[in-house]
PDB file of all heavy atoms in Angstrom:
ATOM      1  N   MET K  30      20.556  -7.280   1.286  1.00  0.00           N
ATOM      2  CA  MET K  30      19.510  -7.706   2.213  1.00  0.00           C
ATOM      3  C   MET K  30      18.768  -6.512   2.788  1.00  0.00           C
ATOM      4  O   MET K  30      17.528  -6.496   2.872  1.00  0.00           O
ATOM      5  CB  MET K  30      20.118  -8.531   3.348  1.00  0.00           C
ATOM      6  CG  MET K  30      19.107  -9.006   4.390  1.00  0.00           C
ATOM      7  SD  MET K  30      17.904 -10.182   3.725  1.00  0.00           S
ATOM      8  CE  MET K  30      18.924 -11.664   3.648  1.00  0.00           C
ATOM      9  N   SER K  31      19.515  -5.481   3.176  1.00  0.00           N
ATOM     10  CA  SER K  31      18.917  -4.277   3.752  1.00  0.00           C
ATOM     11  C   SER K  31      17.993  -3.597   2.745  1.00  0.00           C
ATOM     12  O   SER K  31      16.884  -3.172   3.090  1.00  0.00           O
ATOM     13  CB  SER K  31      20.022  -3.301   4.180  1.00  0.00           C
ATOM     14  OG  SER K  31      19.468  -2.098   4.662  1.00  0.00           O
ATOM     15  N   ASN K  32      18.428  -3.517   1.496  1.00  0.00           N
ATOM     16  CA  ASN K  32      17.610  -2.873   0.467  1.00  0.00           C
ATOM     17  C   ASN K  32      16.333  -3.663   0.202  1.00  0.00           C
ATOM     18  O   ASN K  32      15.255  -3.083   0.044  1.00  0.00           O
ATOM     19  CB  ASN K  32      18.402  -2.727  -0.830  1.00  0.00           C
ATOM     20  CG  ASN K  32      17.666  -1.891  -1.871  1.00  0.00           C
ATOM     21  OD1 ASN K  32      17.242  -0.779  -1.612  1.00  0.00           O
ATOM     22  ND2 ASN K  32      17.496  -2.451  -3.067  1.00  0.00           N
ATOM     23  N   TYR K  33      16.443  -5.003   0.161  1.00  0.00           N
ATOM     24  CA  TYR K  33      15.270  -5.830  -0.076  1.00  0.00           C
ATOM     25  C   TYR K  33      14.269  -5.745   1.079  1.00  0.00           C
ATOM     26  O   TYR K  33      13.057  -5.766   0.854  1.00  0.00           O
ATOM     27  CB  TYR K  33      15.672  -7.286  -0.314  1.00  0.00           C
ATOM     28  CG  TYR K  33      15.967  -7.597  -1.759  1.00  0.00           C
ATOM     29  CD1 TYR K  33      17.133  -8.263  -2.133  1.00  0.00           C
ATOM     30  CD2 TYR K  33      15.074  -7.232  -2.767  1.00  0.00           C
ATOM     31  CE1 TYR K  33      17.400  -8.543  -3.465  1.00  0.00           C
ATOM     32  CE2 TYR K  33      15.335  -7.505  -4.091  1.00  0.00           C
ATOM     33  CZ  TYR K  33      16.495  -8.166  -4.443  1.00  0.00           C
ATOM     34  OH  TYR K  33      16.753  -8.436  -5.761  1.00  0.00           O
ATOM     35  N   LYS K  34      14.774  -5.635   2.305  1.00  0.00           N
ATOM     36  CA  LYS K  34      13.873  -5.496   3.453  1.00  0.00           C
ATOM     37  C   LYS K  34      13.075  -4.199   3.356  1.00  0.00           C
ATOM     38  O   LYS K  34      11.863  -4.172   3.581  1.00  0.00           O
ATOM     39  CB  LYS K  34      14.677  -5.533   4.760  1.00  0.00           C
ATOM     40  CG  LYS K  34      15.153  -6.919   5.173  1.00  0.00           C
ATOM     41  CD  LYS K  34      15.895  -6.852   6.500  1.00  0.00           C
ATOM     42  CE  LYS K  34      16.336  -8.246   6.943  1.00  0.00           C
ATOM     43  NZ  LYS K  34      17.087  -8.200   8.228  1.00  0.00           N
ATOM     44  N   LYS K  35      13.775  -3.121   3.042  1.00  0.00           N
ATOM     45  CA  LYS K  35      13.112  -1.821   2.908  1.00  0.00           C
ATOM     46  C   LYS K  35      12.142  -1.845   1.727  1.00  0.00           C
ATOM     47  O   LYS K  35      11.049  -1.287   1.796  1.00  0.00           O
ATOM     48  CB  LYS K  35      14.155  -0.724   2.707  1.00  0.00           C
ATOM     49  CG  LYS K  35      15.025  -0.455   3.914  1.00  0.00           C
ATOM     50  CD  LYS K  35      16.072   0.604   3.623  1.00  0.00           C
ATOM     51  CE  LYS K  35      16.972   0.849   4.825  1.00  0.00           C
ATOM     52  NZ  LYS K  35      18.029   1.850   4.518  1.00  0.00           N
ATOM     53  N   LEU K  36      12.554  -2.499   0.646  1.00  0.00           N
ATOM     54  CA  LEU K  36      11.717  -2.575  -0.545  1.00  0.00           C
ATOM     55  C   LEU K  36      10.431  -3.335  -0.263  1.00  0.00           C
ATOM     56  O   LEU K  36       9.343  -2.917  -0.686  1.00  0.00           O
ATOM     57  CB  LEU K  36      12.500  -3.257  -1.663  1.00  0.00           C
ATOM     58  CG  LEU K  36      11.950  -3.174  -3.092  1.00  0.00           C
ATOM     59  CD1 LEU K  36      11.678  -1.726  -3.482  1.00  0.00           C
ATOM     60  CD2 LEU K  36      12.951  -3.812  -4.054  1.00  0.00           C
ATOM     61  N   ASP K  37      10.546  -4.424   0.463  1.00  0.00           N
ATOM     62  CA  ASP K  37       9.372  -5.227   0.824  1.00  0.00           C
ATOM     63  C   ASP K  37       8.404  -4.398   1.677  1.00  0.00           C
ATOM     64  O   ASP K  37       7.195  -4.377   1.419  1.00  0.00           O
ATOM     65  CB  ASP K  37       9.828  -6.469   1.591  1.00  0.00           C
ATOM     66  CG  ASP K  37       8.658  -7.348   2.030  1.00  0.00           C
ATOM     67  OD1 ASP K  37       7.629  -7.380   1.325  1.00  0.00           O
ATOM     68  OD2 ASP K  37       8.780  -8.005   3.074  1.00  0.00           O
ATOM     69  N   LYS K  38       8.945  -3.692   2.658  1.00  0.00           N
ATOM     70  CA  LYS K  38       8.114  -2.888   3.555  1.00  0.00           C
ATOM     71  C   LYS K  38       7.440  -1.741   2.806  1.00  0.00           C
ATOM     72  O   LYS K  38       6.228  -1.514   2.945  1.00  0.00           O
ATOM     73  CB  LYS K  38       8.970  -2.330   4.694  1.00  0.00           C
ATOM     74  CG  LYS K  38       8.186  -1.496   5.698  1.00  0.00           C
ATOM     75  CD  LYS K  38       9.094  -1.007   6.822  1.00  0.00           C
ATOM     76  CE  LYS K  38       8.311  -0.171   7.824  1.00  0.00           C
ATOM     77  NZ  LYS K  38       9.187   0.318   8.927  1.00  0.00           N
ATOM     78  N   ASN K  39       8.209  -1.012   2.002  1.00  0.00           N
ATOM     79  CA  ASN K  39       7.650   0.134   1.282  1.00  0.00           C
ATOM     80  C   ASN K  39       6.631  -0.300   0.231  1.00  0.00           C
ATOM     81  O   ASN K  39       5.600   0.358   0.052  1.00  0.00           O
ATOM     82  CB  ASN K  39       8.775   0.937   0.618  1.00  0.00           C
ATOM     83  CG  ASN K  39       9.577   1.745   1.615  1.00  0.00           C
ATOM     84  OD1 ASN K  39       9.023   2.372   2.513  1.00  0.00           O
ATOM     85  ND2 ASN K  39      10.890   1.750   1.469  1.00  0.00           N
ATOM     86  N   ALA K  40       6.902  -1.401  -0.452  1.00  0.00           N
ATOM     87  CA  ALA K  40       5.971  -1.897  -1.464  1.00  0.00           C
ATOM     88  C   ALA K  40       4.661  -2.348  -0.818  1.00  0.00           C
ATOM     89  O   ALA K  40       3.571  -2.121  -1.363  1.00  0.00           O
ATOM     90  CB  ALA K  40       6.603  -3.041  -2.254  1.00  0.00           C
ATOM     91  N   SER K  41       4.765  -2.981   0.341  1.00  0.00           N
ATOM     92  CA  SER K  41       3.566  -3.423   1.065  1.00  0.00           C
ATOM     93  C   SER K  41       2.728  -2.222   1.500  1.00  0.00           C
ATOM     94  O   SER K  41       1.494  -2.227   1.394  1.00  0.00           O
ATOM     95  CB  SER K  41       3.960  -4.252   2.290  1.00  0.00           C
ATOM     96  OG  SER K  41       4.591  -5.457   1.904  1.00  0.00           O
ATOM     97  N   ASN K  42       3.394  -1.183   2.006  1.00  0.00           N
ATOM     98  CA  ASN K  42       2.690   0.035   2.413  1.00  0.00           C
ATOM     99  C   ASN K  42       2.088   0.755   1.213  1.00  0.00           C
ATOM    100  O   ASN K  42       0.989   1.321   1.293  1.00  0.00           O
ATOM    101  CB  ASN K  42       3.646   0.971   3.150  1.00  0.00           C
ATOM    102  CG  ASN K  42       4.007   0.472   4.538  1.00  0.00           C
ATOM    103  OD1 ASN K  42       3.234  -0.236   5.162  1.00  0.00           O
ATOM    104  ND2 ASN K  42       5.185   0.827   5.014  1.00  0.00           N
ATOM    105  N   LEU K  43       2.798   0.729   0.096  1.00  0.00           N
ATOM    106  CA  LEU K  43       2.287   1.344  -1.130  1.00  0.00           C
ATOM    107  C   LEU K  43       1.014   0.630  -1.583  1.00  0.00           C
ATOM    108  O   LEU K  43       0.035   1.279  -1.977  1.00  0.00           O
ATOM    109  CB  LEU K  43       3.349   1.283  -2.229  1.00  0.00           C
ATOM    110  CG  LEU K  43       2.920   1.784  -3.618  1.00  0.00           C
ATOM    111  CD1 LEU K  43       2.461   3.235  -3.561  1.00  0.00           C
ATOM    112  CD2 LEU K  43       4.076   1.624  -4.608  1.00  0.00           C
ATOM    113  N   LYS K  44       1.031  -0.680  -1.523  1.00  0.00           N
ATOM    114  CA  LYS K  44      -0.153  -1.458  -1.908  1.00  0.00           C
ATOM    115  C   LYS K  44      -1.350  -1.107  -1.025  1.00  0.00           C
ATOM    116  O   LYS K  44      -2.482  -0.975  -1.516  1.00  0.00           O
ATOM    117  CB  LYS K  44       0.144  -2.955  -1.822  1.00  0.00           C
ATOM    118  CG  LYS K  44      -1.068  -3.840  -2.112  1.00  0.00           C
ATOM    119  CD  LYS K  44      -0.727  -5.307  -2.147  1.00  0.00           C
ATOM    120  CE  LYS K  44      -1.966  -6.176  -2.159  1.00  0.00           C
ATOM    121  NZ  LYS K  44      -2.940  -5.804  -3.219  1.00  0.00           N
ATOM    122  N   THR K  45      -1.101  -0.946   0.269  1.00  0.00           N
ATOM    123  CA  THR K  45      -2.179  -0.608   1.205  1.00  0.00           C
ATOM    124  C   THR K  45      -2.840   0.716   0.824  1.00  0.00           C
ATOM    125  O   THR K  45      -4.075   0.830   0.784  1.00  0.00           O
ATOM    126  CB  THR K  45      -1.644  -0.513   2.645  1.00  0.00           C
ATOM    127  OG1 THR K  45      -1.145  -1.791   3.045  1.00  0.00           O
ATOM    128  CG2 THR K  45      -2.742  -0.085   3.610  1.00  0.00           C
ATOM    129  N   GLN K  46      -2.021   1.730   0.547  1.00  0.00           N
ATOM    130  CA  GLN K  46      -2.553   3.040   0.183  1.00  0.00           C
ATOM    131  C   GLN K  46      -3.207   3.014  -1.198  1.00  0.00           C
ATOM    132  O   GLN K  46      -4.230   3.670  -1.430  1.00  0.00           O
ATOM    133  CB  GLN K  46      -1.444   4.095   0.225  1.00  0.00           C
ATOM    134  CG  GLN K  46      -0.790   4.274   1.583  1.00  0.00           C
ATOM    135  CD  GLN K  46      -1.797   4.533   2.692  1.00  0.00           C
ATOM    136  OE1 GLN K  46      -2.745   5.308   2.521  1.00  0.00           O
ATOM    137  NE2 GLN K  46      -1.615   3.884   3.833  1.00  0.00           N
ATOM    138  N   ALA K  47      -2.626   2.249  -2.108  1.00  0.00           N
ATOM    139  CA  ALA K  47      -3.192   2.139  -3.454  1.00  0.00           C
ATOM    140  C   ALA K  47      -4.565   1.470  -3.405  1.00  0.00           C
ATOM    141  O   ALA K  47      -5.503   1.895  -4.089  1.00  0.00           O
ATOM    142  CB  ALA K  47      -2.244   1.353  -4.358  1.00  0.00           C
ATOM    143  N   ASP K  48      -4.678   0.422  -2.593  1.00  0.00           N
ATOM    144  CA  ASP K  48      -5.962  -0.278  -2.454  1.00  0.00           C
ATOM    145  C   ASP K  48      -7.036   0.654  -1.910  1.00  0.00           C
ATOM    146  O   ASP K  48      -8.202   0.596  -2.325  1.00  0.00           O
ATOM    147  CB  ASP K  48      -5.809  -1.484  -1.525  1.00  0.00           C
ATOM    148  CG  ASP K  48      -5.064  -2.645  -2.177  1.00  0.00           C
ATOM    149  OD1 ASP K  48      -4.998  -2.670  -3.422  1.00  0.00           O
ATOM    150  OD2 ASP K  48      -4.559  -3.511  -1.448  1.00  0.00           O
ATOM    151  N   LYS K  49      -6.631   1.527  -0.987  1.00  0.00           N
ATOM    152  CA  LYS K  49      -7.590   2.472  -0.402  1.00  0.00           C
ATOM    153  C   LYS K  49      -8.090   3.452  -1.464  1.00  0.00           C
ATOM    154  O   LYS K  49      -9.291   3.754  -1.546  1.00  0.00           O
ATOM    155  CB  LYS K  49      -6.926   3.229   0.753  1.00  0.00           C
ATOM    156  CG  LYS K  49      -7.878   4.140   1.515  1.00  0.00           C
ATOM    157  CD  LYS K  49      -7.154   4.885   2.636  1.00  0.00           C
ATOM    158  CE  LYS K  49      -6.697   3.944   3.721  1.00  0.00           C
ATOM    159  NZ  LYS K  49      -6.126   4.697   4.881  1.00  0.00           N
ATOM    160  N   LEU K  50      -7.183   3.939  -2.304  1.00  0.00           N
ATOM    161  CA  LEU K  50      -7.554   4.901  -3.339  1.00  0.00           C
ATOM    162  C   LEU K  50      -8.293   4.245  -4.504  1.00  0.00           C
ATOM    163  O   LEU K  50      -8.998   4.921  -5.254  1.00  0.00           O
ATOM    164  CB  LEU K  50      -6.301   5.612  -3.860  1.00  0.00           C
ATOM    165  CG  LEU K  50      -5.621   6.574  -2.877  1.00  0.00           C
ATOM    166  CD1 LEU K  50      -4.265   7.004  -3.398  1.00  0.00           C
ATOM    167  CD2 LEU K  50      -6.501   7.797  -2.629  1.00  0.00           C
ATOM    168  N   ALA K  51      -8.118   2.927  -4.642  1.00  0.00           N
ATOM    169  CA  ALA K  51      -8.752   2.210  -5.750  1.00  0.00           C
ATOM    170  C   ALA K  51     -10.162   1.738  -5.417  1.00  0.00           C
ATOM    171  O   ALA K  51     -10.888   1.275  -6.307  1.00  0.00           O
ATOM    172  CB  ALA K  51      -7.891   1.012  -6.156  1.00  0.00           C
ATOM    173  N   GLU K  52     -10.548   1.849  -4.154  1.00  0.00           N
ATOM    174  CA  GLU K  52     -11.877   1.386  -3.745  1.00  0.00           C
ATOM    175  C   GLU K  52     -12.987   2.100  -4.508  1.00  0.00           C
ATOM    176  O   GLU K  52     -12.875   3.280  -4.828  1.00  0.00           O
ATOM    177  CB  GLU K  52     -12.087   1.650  -2.236  1.00  0.00           C
ATOM    178  CG  GLU K  52     -11.271   0.766  -1.330  1.00  0.00           C
ATOM    179  CD  GLU K  52     -11.480   1.119   0.135  1.00  0.00           C
ATOM    180  OE1 GLU K  52     -12.149   2.148   0.415  1.00  0.00           O
ATOM    181  OE2 GLU K  52     -10.995   0.385   0.994  1.00  0.00           O
ATOM    182  N   THR K  53     -14.039   1.360  -4.806  1.00  0.00           N
ATOM    183  CA  THR K  53     -15.211   1.942  -5.475  1.00  0.00           C
ATOM    184  C   THR K  53     -16.474   1.617  -4.674  1.00  0.00           C
ATOM    185  O   THR K  53     -16.449   0.758  -3.796  1.00  0.00           O
ATOM    186  CB  THR K  53     -15.357   1.383  -6.904  1.00  0.00           C
ATOM    187  OG1 THR K  53     -15.494  -0.046  -6.848  1.00  0.00           O
ATOM    188  CG2 THR K  53     -14.159   1.746  -7.767  1.00  0.00           C
ATOM    189  N   GLY K  54     -17.560   2.301  -4.990  1.00  0.00           N
ATOM    190  CA  GLY K  54     -18.817   2.043  -4.285  1.00  0.00           C
ATOM    191  C   GLY K  54     -19.096   3.082  -3.223  1.00  0.00           C
ATOM    192  O   GLY K  54     -18.246   3.904  -2.870  1.00  0.00           O
ATOM    193  N   GLU K  55     -20.292   3.032  -2.690  1.00  0.00           N
ATOM    194  CA  GLU K  55     -20.743   4.026  -1.726  1.00  0.00           C
ATOM    195  C   GLU K  55     -19.934   4.031  -0.430  1.00  0.00           C
ATOM    196  O   GLU K  55     -19.815   5.060   0.230  1.00  0.00           O
ATOM    197  CB  GLU K  55     -22.218   3.792  -1.396  1.00  0.00           C
ATOM    198  CG  GLU K  55     -23.151   4.016  -2.589  1.00  0.00           C
ATOM    199  CD  GLU K  55     -24.601   3.798  -2.234  1.00  0.00           C
ATOM    200  OE1 GLU K  55     -24.873   3.442  -1.055  1.00  0.00           O
ATOM    201  OE2 GLU K  55     -25.475   3.977  -3.099  1.00  0.00           O
ATOM    202  N   GLN K  56     -19.398   2.877  -0.053  1.00  0.00           N
ATOM    203  CA  GLN K  56     -18.646   2.782   1.191  1.00  0.00           C
ATOM    204  C   GLN K  56     -17.131   2.920   0.985  1.00  0.00           C
ATOM    205  O   GLN K  56     -16.353   2.670   1.895  1.00  0.00           O
ATOM    206  CB  GLN K  56     -18.952   1.445   1.880  1.00  0.00           C
ATOM    207  CG  GLN K  56     -20.404   1.265   2.276  1.00  0.00           C
ATOM    208  CD  GLN K  56     -20.865   2.367   3.219  1.00  0.00           C
ATOM    209  OE1 GLN K  56     -20.195   2.687   4.204  1.00  0.00           O
ATOM    210  NE2 GLN K  56     -22.023   2.963   2.912  1.00  0.00           N
ATOM    211  N   SER K  57     -16.749   3.305  -0.214  1.00  0.00           N
ATOM    212  CA  SER K  57     -15.321   3.438  -0.498  1.00  0.00           C
ATOM    213  C   SER K  57     -14.727   4.641   0.233  1.00  0.00           C
ATOM    214  O   SER K  57     -15.448   5.562   0.647  1.00  0.00           O
ATOM    215  CB  SER K  57     -15.083   3.596  -1.999  1.00  0.00           C
ATOM    216  OG  SER K  57     -15.640   4.812  -2.470  1.00  0.00           O
ATOM    217  N   PHE K  58     -13.438   4.637   0.377  1.00  0.00           N
ATOM    218  CA  PHE K  58     -12.719   5.682   1.093  1.00  0.00           C
ATOM    219  C   PHE K  58     -13.014   7.080   0.534  1.00  0.00           C
ATOM    220  O   PHE K  58     -13.390   8.000   1.271  1.00  0.00           O
ATOM    221  CB  PHE K  58     -11.210   5.394   1.038  1.00  0.00           C
ATOM    222  CG  PHE K  58     -10.346   6.496   1.580  1.00  0.00           C
ATOM    223  CD1 PHE K  58     -10.290   6.754   2.940  1.00  0.00           C
ATOM    224  CD2 PHE K  58      -9.592   7.288   0.720  1.00  0.00           C
ATOM    225  CE1 PHE K  58      -9.496   7.780   3.442  1.00  0.00           C
ATOM    226  CE2 PHE K  58      -8.793   8.303   1.210  1.00  0.00           C
ATOM    227  CZ  PHE K  58      -8.750   8.550   2.574  1.00  0.00           C
ATOM    228  N   LEU K  59     -12.868   7.244  -0.765  1.00  0.00           N
ATOM    229  CA  LEU K  59     -13.068   8.567  -1.369  1.00  0.00           C
ATOM    230  C   LEU K  59     -14.527   9.003  -1.355  1.00  0.00           C
ATOM    231  O   LEU K  59     -14.822  10.205  -1.219  1.00  0.00           O
ATOM    232  CB  LEU K  59     -12.520   8.574  -2.800  1.00  0.00           C
ATOM    233  CG  LEU K  59     -10.988   8.518  -2.923  1.00  0.00           C
ATOM    234  CD1 LEU K  59     -10.565   8.443  -4.380  1.00  0.00           C
ATOM    235  CD2 LEU K  59     -10.337   9.731  -2.248  1.00  0.00           C
TER     236      LEU K  59
END
């Protein structure tokens, strides 16, 4: 249970950062 909780949290945070780096267009993060 402890591992799955951490996995859920880390995967969610990873998705957030990945989405930011994947943005395209003039208003994108990069």
